[in-house]
């Protein structure tokens, strides 16, 4: 498997810990569905990468998942720059809105499962 180590700013470790302790409802809901190798791979929450923190990340297949809530409103340029910098390290990204996770979890999980299967091939 890939399991490539991506460098990160060590100062983000404490912030990532805080984010794990204070997860949003959509993050908690999704975490309940993807933890414990639910798709045959292991995800981690609030993972520091470069100078950013990714909501969910699987090292084995280099898959990042972001849930866009209020903190992402009107930050499209920043989010795209951030995503592009991380993708330069070979990471695949999936983005879902808070509403998608809360109201359409089935479809969100299908997209994640399909992407995991493609990356495992």
């Amino acid at each position: 498997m890939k399991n490539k180590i991506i460098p990160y700013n060590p100062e983000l470790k404490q912030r990532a810990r805080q984010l794990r302790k204070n997860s949003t409802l959509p993050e908690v809901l999704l975490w309940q569905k993807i933890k414990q190798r639910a798709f045959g791979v292991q995800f981690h929450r609030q993972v520091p990468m470069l100078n950013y923190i990714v909501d969910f990340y699987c090292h084995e297949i280099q898959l990042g998942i972001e849930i866009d809530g209020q903190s992402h409103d009107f930050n499209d340029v920043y989010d795209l720059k951030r995503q592009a910098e991380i993708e330069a390290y070979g990471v695949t990204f999936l983005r879902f809105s808070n509403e998608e996770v809360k109201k359409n979890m089935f479809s969100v999980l299908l997209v994640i499962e399909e992407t995991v299967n493609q990356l495992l091939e």
Side-chain angles (χ1 to χ4, degrees):
M1 297 268 178
K2 296 177 184 177
N3 241 351
K4 181 179 177 184
I5 302 297
I6 296 175
Y8 67 92
N9 179 344
E11 293 175 16
L12 292 176
K13 282 179 87 167
Q14 183 60 36
R15 176 73 179 132
R17 217 173 270 129
Q18 290 172 345
L19 289 171
R20 281 191 292 274
K21 289 180 183 177
N22 299 300
S23 298
T24 65
L25 177 60
E27 289 171 349
V28 171
L29 293 172
L30 185 57
W31 179 242
Q32 293 301 315
K33 302 292 186 184
I34 67 172
K35 68 181 182 177
Q36 298 176 337
R37 302 185 75 82
F39 294 106
V41 294
Q42 184 175 10
F43 282 94
H44 299 273
R45 295 183 303 143
Q46 305 301 339
V47 178
M49 290 183 178
L50 305 177
N51 286 308
Y52 312 104
I53 298 175
V54 176
D55 291 335
F56 301 100
Y57 184 66
C58 175
H59 294 81
E60 297 167 61
I61 56 173
Q62 290 186 268
L63 175 60
I65 300 174
E66 278 292 301
I67 301 176
D68 294 337
Q70 288 180 338
S71 67
H72 296 268
D73 289 349
F74 311 110
N75 285 323
D76 293 342
V77 172
Y78 172 81
D79 283 345
L80 291 174
K81 174 186 177 288
R82 166 183 184 263
Q83 183 172 330
E85 286 181 30
I86 295 171
E87 284 176 335
Y89 282 82
V91 174
T92 300
F93 260 92
L94 294 177
R95 287 189 167 281
F96 302 102
S97 70
N98 278 347
E99 293 304 307
E100 284 178 293
V101 172
K102 289 192 287 190
K103 295 182 178 177
N104 205 358
M105 180 67 81
F106 182 76
S107 294
V108 168
L109 294 175
L110 281 177
V111 170
I112 294 171
E113 182 177 33
E114 184 177 295
T115 304
V116 167
N117 289 338
Q118 287 174 357
L119 292 171
L120 284 171
E121 290 179 358

